[in-house]
Amino acid sequence: MFGKEEGTMNLKIGVIKGDGIGPEIVTEAMKVLDKTAARYNHTIEYTQLLMGGASIDVNGIPLTDETVASAKACDAVLLGSIGGDAKTSPWYQLEPSKRPEAGLLKIRKELNLFANLRPAVLYDELKGACPLKEEITDGGFDMMIMRELTGGLYFGDRKTVCEDGVMTAYDSLTYNENEIRRIAKRGFDIAMKRRKKVTSVDKANVLDSSRLWRKIVEEVAADYPEVTLTHMLVDNCAMQLVKDPRQFDVILTENMFGDILSDEASMVTGSIGMLASASLNETKFGLYEPSGGSAPDIAGKGIANPIATILSAAMMLRYSFDLDEEADVIEAAVGEVLKKGYRTIDIMSEGKTQVGTAGMGDLICSFI
Ligand code: NAD
């Protein structure tokens, strides 16, 4: 990973451009990575990988074992988006296990990506898109939702039975202490790179799994004396996200609560084209992707917003390569371009200058 010169690195990045707007937005993120690498004398070795519909077209399946092996040989993977229009694309004539989305589930499982990170950032310049009142969001907000991704209710035993003539369905929510400890450690590590505040969200007044969650999170917190830990019940958290989102730094929570809260948090930022995400495993490896989908309605038109993918690339530099300064530079460049009034169509408002996908990528590069 380290280059010949002191402080320089050779970054081995897997690239899955994917389907729809994927190739367009990933191209811009690569431009920004290249510009940043050049400024700091790093080198980047890209490995192009096929997944989703693009892989079905070539290999007949959405993700091959060879692609998984190539992804594992990289330090991190940048993903655009996968999938097509479910009504018109031939990919959706295939059985569910062969459709584009199955590739995404498989790669997450194969790479053991148990920690999902979704930043919800409201830029002051885009506050018009936020559905909350201005006095609540004045100055913007910046939080990170850290969601456990491979345990809990979505992976527990389930069954539907008929008992005494009554249909009854069961889903079980199980966590063991090791699963909680590894995500908690990741959450505190990430808080150390931010404002050093963790809000652990649970339902410890009702659920045993939440009581264990709280106990283990407290144990982990003891190793991070600089980080302030608070606990919050999930119902209260859902309220606080719209009442006072500025109070949050890292929100650490289990799978289902995180699923719901991360969507709520992203909604209050107002724009899908701005939302980055990362999924990490126990090593430094991560899969970085925009939160949005492949947007088949605008694919090929050169108008998609590449910022979510560019910010995902910045997260990659920060969390997989510990290149915090380089990540800061990219994030600041995005802020600068917004401040200067440039917008893609999805975040366009009166009096601003509209640019396309490549134009936005070029502008961000110009501030690096
Ligand atoms: P979508 O996120 O692709 O699109 C929803 C709306 O947001 C559309 O109007 C789209 O034009 C817009 N949009 C999304 N990203 C944008 C961007 N960067 N710039 C400007 N506008 C943007 O969601 P969908 O339409 O429900 O799904 C389309 C396809 O994407 C489906 O096949 C779905 O399965 C897939 N999908 C993939 C991922 C992924 O790869 N992780 C995630 C979600 C959906």
Side-chain angles (χ1 to χ4, degrees):
M1 210 189 264
F2 290 96
K4 289 191 192 97
E5 264 178 73
E6 207 184 328
T8 68
M9 289 173 99
N10 179 38
L11 319 181
K12 286 176 69 178
I13 300 176
V15 175
I16 303 172
K17 290 191 171 177
D19 310 316
I21 59 169
E24 300 165 56
I25 54 183
V26 170
T27 299
E28 299 314 308
M30 289 169 71
K31 240 190 225 173
V32 170
L33 281 171
D34 288 339
K35 184 81 193 281
T36 311
R39 175 171 161 185
Y40 287 91
N41 291 324
H42 304 305
T43 50
I44 303 184
E45 224 177 293
Y46 293 110
T47 307
Q48 298 290 340
L49 305 168
L50 287 181
M51 194 173 87
S55 172
I56 294 172
D57 290 345
V58 176
N59 304 308
I61 53 171
L63 181 67
T64 65
D65 292 339
E66 292 73 34
T67 304
V68 172
S70 304
K72 282 183 179 164
C74 298
D75 300 323
V77 170
L78 181 66
L79 164 66
S81 51
I82 51 117
D85 185 328
K87 286 199 195 103
T88 56
S89 165
W91 301 325
Y92 295 90
Q93 305 299 319
L94 300 166
E95 62 169 275
S97 67
K98 297 221 169 97
R99 291 180 193 168
E101 288 73 13
L104 199 54
L105 296 181
K106 179 173 171 178
I107 202 164
R108 283 182 180 149
K109 186 158 177 269
E110 294 276 348
L111 299 171
N112 196 22
L113 302 171
F114 65 85
N116 182 242
L117 267 77
R118 273 170 67 176
V121 180
L122 180 68
Y123 290 87
D124 208 29
E125 293 76 21
L126 298 182
K127 63 184 175 201
C130 175
L132 302 180
K133 283 192 197 139
E134 207 172 321
E135 65 251 34
I136 296 175
T137 58
D138 205 20
F141 55 77
D142 177 358
M143 70 182 102
M144 179 73 82
I145 313 270
M146 178 100 187
R147 164 188 171 193
E148 203 289 329
L149 206 55
T150 57
L153 199 61
Y154 299 171
F155 291 86
D157 288 340
R158 67 180 61 113
K159 63 179 176 182
T160 303
V161 293
C162 191
E163 286 170 349
D164 302 328
V166 179
M167 294 288 283
T168 305
Y170 298 87
D171 294 283
S172 54
L173 200 177
T174 311
Y175 272 107
N176 69 42
E177 60 179 295
N178 300 329
E179 290 169 320
I180 301 169
R181 192 168 285 111
R182 66 181 184 178
I183 182 92
K185 276 167 72 82
R186 271 301 199 167
F188 280 86
D189 284 341
I190 279 159
M192 286 297 289
K193 283 179 176 267
R194 296 174 47 95
R195 301 194 303 280
K196 301 190 172 64
K197 203 178 149 193
V198 169
T199 306
S200 174
V201 174
D202 60 38
K203 189 70 181 168
N205 53 343
V206 180
L207 301 176
D208 263 23
S209 55
S210 281
R211 284 190 271 273
L212 181 63
W213 178 276
R214 202 175 270 217
K215 177 176 181 289
I216 302 299
V217 168
E218 276 174 8
E219 281 176 23
V220 172
D223 295 332
Y224 296 83
E226 285 176 62
V227 178
T228 309
L229 168 68
T230 48
H231 299 283
M232 193 178 273
L233 296 175
V234 62
D235 39 349
N236 185 27
C237 186
M239 284 195 293
Q240 294 298 328
L241 276 172
V242 288
K243 191 167 169 242
D244 180 16
R246 286 172 300 198
Q247 70 183 285
F248 294 111
D249 179 17
V250 175
I251 292 179
L252 172 66
T253 193
E254 59 94 56
N255 201 345
M256 180 178 61
F257 298 160
D259 187 8
I260 298 164
L261 295 176
S262 60
D263 267 17
E264 185 189 359
S266 59
M267 190 56 225
V268 294
T269 70
S271 175
I272 194 156
M274 301 291 296
L275 299 169
S277 87
S279 303
L280 311 176
N281 66 17
E282 256 152 315
T283 69
K284 285 278 174 191
F285 185 92
L287 176 74
Y288 298 83
E289 57 178 317
S291 292
S294 59
D297 53 334
I298 56 166
K301 294 186 178 159
I303 58 171
N305 186 349
I307 293 180
T309 319
I310 290 167
L311 292 174
S312 302
M315 286 179 84
M316 171 190 283
L317 296 182
R318 191 183 305 282
Y319 297 120
S320 281
F321 298 105
D322 283 320
L323 295 173
D324 290 32
E325 189 182 326
E326 289 81 340
D328 286 344
V329 163
I330 295 176
E331 287 164 2
V334 169
E336 213 42 54
V337 169
L338 294 175
K339 215 175 272 169
K340 296 260 185 277
Y342 295 106
R343 303 281 188 271
T344 43
I345 192 165
D346 56 313
I347 52 171
M348 184 62 190
S349 59
E350 217 183 309
K352 305 297 176 196
T353 310
Q354 192 173 315
V355 295
T357 312
M360 182 54 90
D362 290 340
L363 280 161
I364 293 168
C365 281
S366 74
F367 286 100
I368 288 171

